[in-house]
Amino acid sequence: MRSNRRDISGVTVRFEGADNLYLTESTVNKLLIQKFGSLRNTPKDAIVLDTVESVLRTHEMVNNAQVYLTVDGQLITKITQRHPIGRVAGDTQFYLDDEGRKMPLSPNHSARVPIITGKITGKSLEDAYEILKFINEDPFLSKNIIGIHIEDETDYRLRFRLDNFVVRLGDVTDLKSKFDNFKAFYAKASQDKTLAHYEVVSLEFDNQVVCTKI
């Protein structure tokens, strides 16, 4: 009878740096069993760790995987999941992840991210990704923006969580300037309690905020 020190005594799945599980421990174990059979009691020297890592990285929810063996025979798999930052709601639905790649929806968890609607093309998704990256780096914007609507590739419109007006962003040039101007407007209008008076807030014009009242 072989010693557990030379055989795999079990498989442990760990998810790194993520509170939201878009895949589960059961899913990871099932993938390993499909590719390698039951790993328990398999001789440790029969397992090529790089191959196991490569198999895990093929899963559409996995960004990275590290695999190693402990002295007592545990096969440890450390999984870093992909991170969605926007959700496309069209004829087909999917996430955009933080690297701008398409990511499928998960049956295990639904991410609370801005919804992308309208004319979905390769170019408009690239632009939406640039907008989402900027939003994610700003606490005020990431808290308040819930949607990006694409009229066309020069007309992006933003929806806010608690406000009824639409922000017309225009194209994706000068995002920092546009959002700085918007935040200054928002702070002043909040102070004056006039936010509810506006239907459209346009950032399309150079260094200006142009508002249309209801």
Side-chain angles (χ1 to χ4, degrees):
M1 182 175 180
R2 291 188 179 97
S3 164
N4 279 342
R5 291 183 179 275
R6 287 194 281 171
D7 291 356
I8 294 175
S9 57
V11 177
T12 300
V13 179
R14 296 176 183 167
F15 294 100
E16 298 293 300
D19 297 325
N20 304 318
L21 297 182
Y22 300 102
L23 72 165
T24 63
E25 181 176 346
S26 173
T27 303
V28 175
N29 282 324
K30 183 178 179 180
L31 178 60
L32 292 175
I33 289 170
Q34 286 175 339
K35 295 294 184 179
F36 304 105
S38 176
L39 290 171
R40 191 178 181 87
N41 298 323
T42 299
K44 290 197 287 187
D45 58 9
I47 296 297
V48 179
L49 298 181
D50 287 348
T51 302
V52 179
E53 290 177 347
S54 295
V55 166
L56 291 171
R57 289 177 187 139
T58 64
H59 194 283
E60 53 197 1
M61 297 294 182
V62 173
N63 186 53
N64 196 22
Q66 293 180 302
V67 179
Y68 62 92
L69 284 161
T70 64
V71 292
D72 62 352
Q74 279 288 314
L75 182 76
I76 309 296
T77 68
K78 296 170 68 173
I79 304 291
T80 304
Q81 298 175 102
R82 294 171 66 185
H83 176 60
I85 60 173
R87 176 172 175 165
V88 173
D91 293 335
T92 58
Q93 298 200 34
F94 54 89
Y95 292 122
L96 277 184
D97 75 3
D98 57 359
E99 296 179 2
R101 299 176 297 163
K102 293 182 180 181
M103 172 181 169
L105 304 185
S106 168
N108 303 306
H109 180 78
S110 180
R112 296 185 64 183
V113 291
I115 304 298
I116 304 166
T117 56
K119 296 180 180 178
I120 307 298
T121 66
K123 174 63 166 59
S124 68
L125 280 183
E126 289 177 9
D127 287 350
Y129 170 61
E130 292 302 317
I131 297 168
L132 288 166
K133 280 198 304 181
F134 199 98
I135 290 170
N136 270 1
E137 293 169 359
D138 185 288
F140 169 77
L141 297 175
S142 61
K143 178 182 177 181
N144 287 286
I145 293 176
I146 61 171
I148 301 172
H149 182 72
I150 304 167
E151 282 292 321
D152 60 47
E153 294 171 4
T154 61
D155 188 358
Y156 296 90
R157 304 182 183 190
L158 310 179
R159 291 191 300 113
F160 276 67
R161 188 176 307 281
L162 298 177
D163 302 296
N164 292 323
F165 56 76
V166 172
V167 176
R168 294 189 65 166
L169 188 63
D171 61 23
V172 294
T173 59
D174 300 321
L175 286 179
K176 184 179 188 306
S177 176
K178 288 177 179 178
F179 281 122
D180 284 347
N181 290 336
F182 174 77
K183 287 190 289 184
F185 154 79
Y186 193 95
K188 179 69 165 58
S190 294
Q191 185 178 18
D192 296 343
K193 302 187 186 305
T194 58
L195 286 172
H197 298 173
Y198 300 111
E199 182 176 22
V200 177
V201 177
S202 176
L203 309 177
E204 299 166 280
F205 307 101
D206 289 346
N207 206 32
Q208 297 182 64
V209 177
V210 179
C211 302
T212 304
K213 290 189 174 181
I214 294 173

